[in-house]
Amino acid sequence: MQKVEGNTDGIRRSYIERLETIYEMEIDRKQFCSAEMVETLVFFTAVTGREAMVYLERSGRIETVRVGEQDRVHLPTLRKRRSESRLSGLRCIHTHPAGNPMLSQVDIQSLKSLKLDAMASIGVSKEGEATGMQVGILDSITPDDDVSINLFGPYDTNAIPNEIIWAEIEAADIRIRPSESKKAEAEIARAILVGIDTTQSEPLYELKQLADTAGFITIGYVVQPRPKPDKSYYLGYGKLHDLVLEIQRLHADTVIFDDELTPAQIRNIQKELGKKTEIIDRTALILDIFSNRASTHEGRLQVELAQTKYLLPRMTGFWGHFTRMAGGGGGGAGARRGEGETQLEVDRRLLRKRLNELEREIDKVKSRREVQRAARERSKIPIVALVGYTNAGKSTLMNCLSGSDVLAENKLFATLDPKSRRVNYGSGEFLLVDTVGFINKLPHDLVNAFRATLEEARYADLLLHVVDVSSSSRDKQMEVVNDVLTHLEANSNPTLTVYNKCDIATDTETGGILDSVEISAKTGIGIENLKSAITEKLSNLRTEITVLLPLDAGALVSRVYETSQVHDCQYLENGIQITVTATPEDVARLHASAIE
C-alpha cells in the first residue's frame, strides 16, 4: 500500500493506517469524491487536529494522500505542464480543522497556480462533524492574464451535486484556453541554450537533449569562449546583453544555462533579462526530468530531497515555485500571511522541516536496502549491475538479457527507478540490477539523494559498463561513469565493458580494452557472446566444488554456511561430504582441510 506523506510525527499508527485506506478506495468517474473518503478525512482531522488532503486524477485514481500541521498542509510539487493550456487533470480535496468550509485565499492561489480541476475544502467542527464543502473552479482568463474563480457551495457533504461540478470542470477546461493569437505562442516553451565553450565540437549538444526530454523547443544558442563562468552573470556582462537581444529577436520565453547557477547569479541575470523570461539552470532541468520520471515512492522521495536541497538557498529567487496551502478562512491561524520577508522566513522554516523529514525517510530506505542486501548476501546469489551513461541502452539490454519489459525509450533518464531480475543461463543463477543513468555535471545533491540506489553498484559482484559506441563523446561519457563509480567506491569492482549500438556505429574502434564485448541490444548482435562472458566472469568469482572434510571440521562447515552457497551436506562414517559454490578464498580453505 502507498504511504501517507507529510508530517505524521506524533500521530497514532491506527489513525495513519485508516488514512492510508483512501489509496484503496474506488472512486467512480462520475463522482467528485466518495462519502467514504469524506468520512475518513473528517475522522482523521477530528482526532488529530491536523489537515489532510487528497489529490485525485480524473480517472478516480488517488495520486497523493498527505498530512499537514494544525493550520496548513504542504502541497507536493506537481509535474509542470509547459506545453499544455488545459487543466492539470487533478483535483484537491482537503480539510479545515477550524470548522470553516470556505476556501482561503491561499487555497484559491494554489488552484490558480497549479491549474487544478477543482479545489475543495471541508470544514471539520470541534465535535468532529463535517460543516460543509466549498468547491472552487477556474472561470476564465482576465484581460490582465489572471484567472477568475467560480465558487460553489458550501454543500452538505452528503449531497454533493456531482453532475453540476463535473459540467463546470469541463466548461472551465475550455474557458481557460488562451485566445488563438496567444495559443500559438504558449503551445510549447521556446528556449535559448547558454553555455561556456569547453572546446568541444558541440558544447551544448547534451543540454539540447535534456531540453528536448523536458519538453522544450530549442530555438537558439549563445556560447561564450571563457575558461570559467562569471561570478556575477555567468556570461560576461556584454555577452549577457547580446543574450537579451537574442531573446527579443527569437521571441524566446526561456533561457537554459549549461551549469548550476548560484542564487546571486540567478538574481542578477533575472534583473537583466526581465521577469517574463524564465531562467533554468542545468541542475533544475535535470531535477525536473527526474521528477517526471520517478514512479515509485522511493524514487519520488529521492527526487524531492534533491529538489528541496536545491530550492532552500534559492527561496528568494524562486519563491513562486514553492507552493503551499493554508487552511481555514478569516483571520485565524490559517489566515494568509503577508508576502515579504516574514512569509519568506515561514516558508524557509517549513522547507527545512520538510528536508529533515525527507532525510529521515531516505535513511529508512537505506536501512531497508541494507536488510535486503544482507539477505541476498546470505543467499549467495551473485549480483550483476548495469551501469553507464544515460541513454546508453541499459534498459534495452536488461530486457534482452532477462526477458523483462522494463521501459526503454530513446530519451535521457527514460528509466529512473532501479529494477532487478533473476537470470539463469544454465551455469547458475544471478541477480541482474539496472541502475539510474549517469550524466556529465550530475548534480551533487542528486548523487547523494540517490546514493541508497546507486550503492547497488558498489556491492555488485560484477559491473556491466554499458557504453554507447555510436556516440562521438563515448570516451568522455566513460570518464564520467568512472568518476561517479569512484565517488561511490565501486571503481575496483570486476567490470565487463559492453559496447552497445554497434549496429549503427560508424567507428567501432575500442582501443583494445580488455574484458569488453561489442553488442547491439536492440538487434541481438553479440548477446550470446555477452552471456558467455558474464558466465565466465561469475565462474571466476565463485566455483562449485565437492569435498570430504574431517568429522571434527564442524566450525569450518558453519563458516561455509555463512559465506557460501551450500547445495548438499551429508555426514558420512568417514567424514562430512559437502557441495558448495564458494569464493576462491573459501575454495582454498576447503581444499586445505579436505581429506585426501
Side-chain angles (χ1 to χ4, degrees), residues 18-25 37 40-41 54 62 65:
R18 177 164 178 180
L19 198 60
E20 286 176 344
T21 62
I22 291 179
Y23 282 113
E24 300 177 344
M25 294 180 183
M37 177 190 295
T40 303
L41 290 172
V54 180
I62 308 299
V65 180

Side-chain angles (χ1 to χ4, degrees), residues 377-502:
E377 289 177 354
R378 286 194 298 271
S379 69
K380 300 306 168 188
I381 298 178
I383 299 173
V384 178
L386 293 164
V387 298
Y389 211 77
T390 182
N391 207 31
K394 297 187 301 302
S395 296
T396 303
L397 181 58
M398 175 115 179
N399 293 337
C400 188
L401 291 176
S402 66
S404 59
D405 56 352
V406 173
L407 174 66
E409 291 183 289
N410 187 25
K411 290 183 178 180
L412 303 188
F413 305 116
T415 305
L416 179 60
D417 300 298
K419 303 290 188 300
S420 59
R421 298 290 186 271
R422 286 179 180 264
V423 180
N424 193 330
Y425 297 143
S427 58
E429 192 175 53
F430 63 89
L431 193 67
L432 184 64
V433 180
D434 189 11
T435 60
V436 63
F438 304 152
I439 196 168
N440 191 28
K441 303 177 186 177
L442 189 65
H444 181 73
D445 286 335
L446 201 58
V447 174
N448 288 339
F450 276 81
R451 193 176 185 89
T453 300
L454 293 172
E455 281 187 343
E456 293 293 336
R458 178 181 178 183
Y459 295 101
D461 296 282
L462 175 65
L463 297 180
L464 297 185
H465 181 176
V466 184
V467 179
D468 180 1
V469 74
S470 68
S471 172
S472 60
S473 306
R474 65 174 180 263
D475 293 337
K476 175 63 176 178
Q477 293 176 1
M478 293 176 70
E479 182 182 336
V480 169
V481 173
N482 290 331
D483 288 344
V484 176
L485 291 175
T486 300
H487 180 71
L488 296 171
E489 299 178 6
N491 56 312
S492 60
N493 291 24
T495 302
L496 181 63
T497 304
V498 181
Y499 289 101
N500 190 27
K501 305 184 184 181
C502 66

